[in-house]
Amino acid sequence: MNLSLQSRRLRALAATVLVASIVLTGTMPASADHLLLIDADDLEAVEGGAPAVFSVALAAEPVEAAVVVVTLAVTSDNAEEVEITPTTLTFDSESPWNEAQQVTVSAVDDEVDDGDQVVAIALTVDDVLHGSVSVTTIDDDTAGVTVTQPDDPIVTTEAGGQQILTIRLDSQPTDIVRIGVASSDETEAVVDLDVLTFDSKDWSDPQEVTVTGVDDWTVDGDVAFTIVFSAAESDDATYAALAPIEVQGVNLDDDVLPPAPPAPADPEDEASTFDDFAGLSTEARQAIEALVDLGITAGTSDSTFSPKAVVTRWQMALFLTRQLVVHGVTLPAAAAGGFLDVSALDPDTREAITQLAQLQVTTGTDDETFDPDSPVTRWQMALFMSRVLQAAGSEVPAAGGEVFGDLGSLPSDVQQVIRQLAAMGVVEGVGDDRFDPDGQVTRWQMALFIVRTLHAAGDLG
């Protein structure tokens, strides 16, 4: 019987396969006449892309069976990674035994970053294994977090300007993914939530984080900050291995120092109300003149102001009530009772003290005493100015920068008031980063405290 070249090659290959099978297994295949010729070298199927294709033919013409059915099925644990078309091949008289038939293996695009995988496909005839094929699926998914921002860097403002960041996962996780969110400087910017949670169902749905600028009431210029998305917490190892993500931002400052009183063209030639201004700065002289014009003080005589004299608490009560009127505050009627140690004072002074107590500008040295003859200290003066601003309805900053190094003995709320007033330009130190909180307030210093406070509130042009 003359054989064609193709027939001789197929029989030679079948013999080779048969010998190899005997060597590997030590046994003769159950159906040697159904040996398969499989053309399947370096098969790869790309998720969402090109499939793998291989061909199958019989190695020899069937002797006993007129019809040979080859069944294809995945025998590895990752059957969900591929789809096989067709899953059966039929060789009969209408499909010659030596005519190769093609099998297509498509990688299932699962959106999970599970890496490239090797899938084993068995080819059986009558439940007897007659060959196997390995197909490598090429994963097209990569675990990651995408943060979309409107600007780079994002820009917020101390007036409450906001920016919205959107966050989504890049692939479907196999477990819950939690990502922390935080601002590197909450005195400049804050976020509206502290953790984002994604699961296998909502992983591709963008979530929003709102970043809001914080008003610090400090003239500190535009300040940079960072929004940090922390490393993910998840039992999905691909997400747990991701690094944190940082978004840079800047918070625009809206604070300016209050304007200082205008300096005269030639202070030395300008006439003064009082003749004891020697040694005072131009600002101190102008502050005293402003207090006289506003009716807050008339000096200690027609020609003297006594600028270096110490201010007592009862004198300060009069100055404060007059200052409140300039701020536009309506003073309450005098109240009966009050402090027990003010009976020796004149009626106007007693009335001023009770009015300040009702406005919570002063609470006395305790519930029953005002201590009217004690000198006013610099830290007490700062408290008075802060409370006057509050009574006048003026905003007082929520926080201020650290500017003085000698406030440690004061209560924290008093320290904050001093820092706030320093940021507003109401108070200054005495040099060497010192505020001298226990120093006694002189009359010229009192004038500066009051005038600067009126400027800060916008009640003095």
Side-chain angles (χ1 to χ4, degrees):
M1 177 178 181
N2 293 324
L3 297 175
S4 66
L5 178 61
Q6 181 182 18
S7 178
R8 289 198 303 271
R9 191 169 69 181
L10 288 174
R11 288 185 179 276
L13 182 57
T16 301
V17 172
L18 178 59
V19 171
S21 176
I22 296 171
V23 171
L24 291 174
T25 64
T27 60
M28 180 72 73
S31 300
D33 56 339
H34 295 164
L35 287 175
L36 306 178
L37 293 177
I38 303 171
D39 185 4
D41 294 330
D42 300 325
L43 296 179
E44 290 184 348
V46 180
E47 288 189 5
V53 179
F54 65 93
S55 61
V56 180
L58 296 186
E61 184 177 3
V63 175
E64 299 177 355
V67 177
V68 176
V69 178
V70 180
T71 302
L72 301 95
V74 177
T75 57
S76 52
D77 294 333
N78 49 1
E80 73 282 354
E81 289 292 319
V82 297
E83 292 180 350
I84 304 171
T85 306
T87 55
T88 59
L89 302 173
T90 301
F91 295 90
D92 54 26
S93 57
E94 295 181 2
S95 298
W97 61 272
N98 57 358
E99 183 177 305
Q101 298 186 35
Q102 286 192 336
V103 177
T104 300
V105 181
S106 301
V108 175
D109 196 357
D110 56 12
E111 297 186 311
V112 177
D113 181 3
D114 50 4
D116 299 346
Q117 298 190 42
V118 178
V119 179
I121 301 173
L123 292 82
T124 60
V125 177
D126 296 333
D127 296 325
V128 177
L129 179 64
H130 281 263
S132 64
V133 172
S134 293
V135 177
T136 300
T137 60
I138 307 301
D139 194 11
D140 66 347
D141 302 296
T142 302
V145 179
T146 294
V147 178
T148 303
Q149 58 192 84
D151 301 296
D152 187 13
I154 60 173
V155 178
T156 60
T157 69
E158 290 191 356
Q162 297 178 327
Q163 293 278 265
I164 296 178
L165 306 176
T166 58
I167 302 91
R168 66 182 295 276
L169 301 188
D170 296 340
S171 67
Q172 183 179 19
T174 58
D175 209 298
I176 293 175
V177 176
R178 294 182 178 87
I179 300 172
V181 188
S183 169
S184 65
D185 186 351
E186 293 188 344
T187 66
E188 294 294 338
V190 295
V191 292
D192 63 338
L193 45 80
D194 56 11
V195 67
L196 299 163
T197 302
F198 298 90
D199 59 31
S200 59
K201 295 180 180 178
D202 68 1
W203 63 273
S204 62
D205 296 335
Q207 299 189 35
E208 292 186 349
V209 173
T210 301
V211 185
T212 305
V214 175
D215 194 353
D216 58 13
W217 289 86
T218 302
V219 183
D220 53 358
D222 301 339
V223 179
F225 62 87
T226 304
I227 301 301
V228 180
F229 294 89
S230 65
E233 295 182 2
S234 179
D235 287 337
D236 183 328
T238 59
Y239 274 97
L242 297 180
I245 296 175
E246 295 185 349
V247 174
Q248 303 304 317
V250 61
N251 192 33
L252 303 184
D253 194 14
D254 68 350
D255 299 301
V256 294
L257 289 174
D266 189 353
E268 297 300 327
D269 295 338
E270 189 174 83
S272 298
T273 304
F274 306 107
D275 58 14
D276 58 352
F277 278 178
L280 296 182
S281 67
T282 299
E283 184 186 9
R285 295 181 185 188
Q286 292 175 337
I288 294 170
E289 299 285 0
L291 293 190
V292 173
D293 291 341
L294 294 170
I296 293 176
T297 183
T300 54
S301 73
D302 290 342
S303 61
T304 61
F305 183 74
S306 303
K308 296 181 181 179
V310 174
V311 180
T312 63
R313 288 172 58 83
W314 71 263
Q315 292 170 334
M316 196 67 238
L318 290 172
F319 296 143
L320 291 174
T321 53
R322 296 165 187 168
Q323 177 186 352
L324 285 164
V325 171
V326 177
H327 281 294
V329 177
T330 301
L331 299 176
F339 303 112
L340 303 180
D341 58 348
V342 297
S343 58
L345 301 176
D346 65 79
D348 289 344
T349 305
R350 291 199 304 270
E351 180 180 20
I353 292 171
T354 60
Q355 289 170 329
L356 294 179
Q358 291 179 73
L359 292 171
Q360 293 295 302
V361 173
T362 180
T363 57
T365 53
D366 61 39
D367 292 341
E368 297 182 345
T369 60
F370 182 73
D371 200 9
D373 294 320
S374 291
V376 176
T377 64
R378 286 171 58 81
W379 72 263
Q380 291 171 338
M381 192 69 180
L383 274 183
F384 288 147
M385 294 300 101
S386 175
R387 292 169 180 170
V388 164
L389 287 170
Q390 293 179 47
S394 298
E395 277 196 271
V396 177
E402 193 68 51
V403 290
F404 304 116
D406 60 346
L407 305 181
S409 62
L410 300 177
S412 59
D413 59 334
V414 178
Q415 294 184 42
Q416 177 165 300
V417 163
I418 293 172
R419 290 193 294 268
Q420 291 165 340
L421 295 183
M424 298 174 71
V426 173
V427 302
E428 293 179 350
V430 296
D432 299 326
D433 296 327
R434 296 173 55 249
F435 181 71
D436 189 22
D438 294 320
Q440 297 176 350
V441 176
T442 61
R443 288 170 59 82
W444 71 265
Q445 291 174 334
M446 171 272 298
L448 286 178
F449 271 102
I450 292 177
V451 167
R452 289 171 177 169
T453 301
L454 289 168
H455 274 291
D459 294 321
L460 185 62

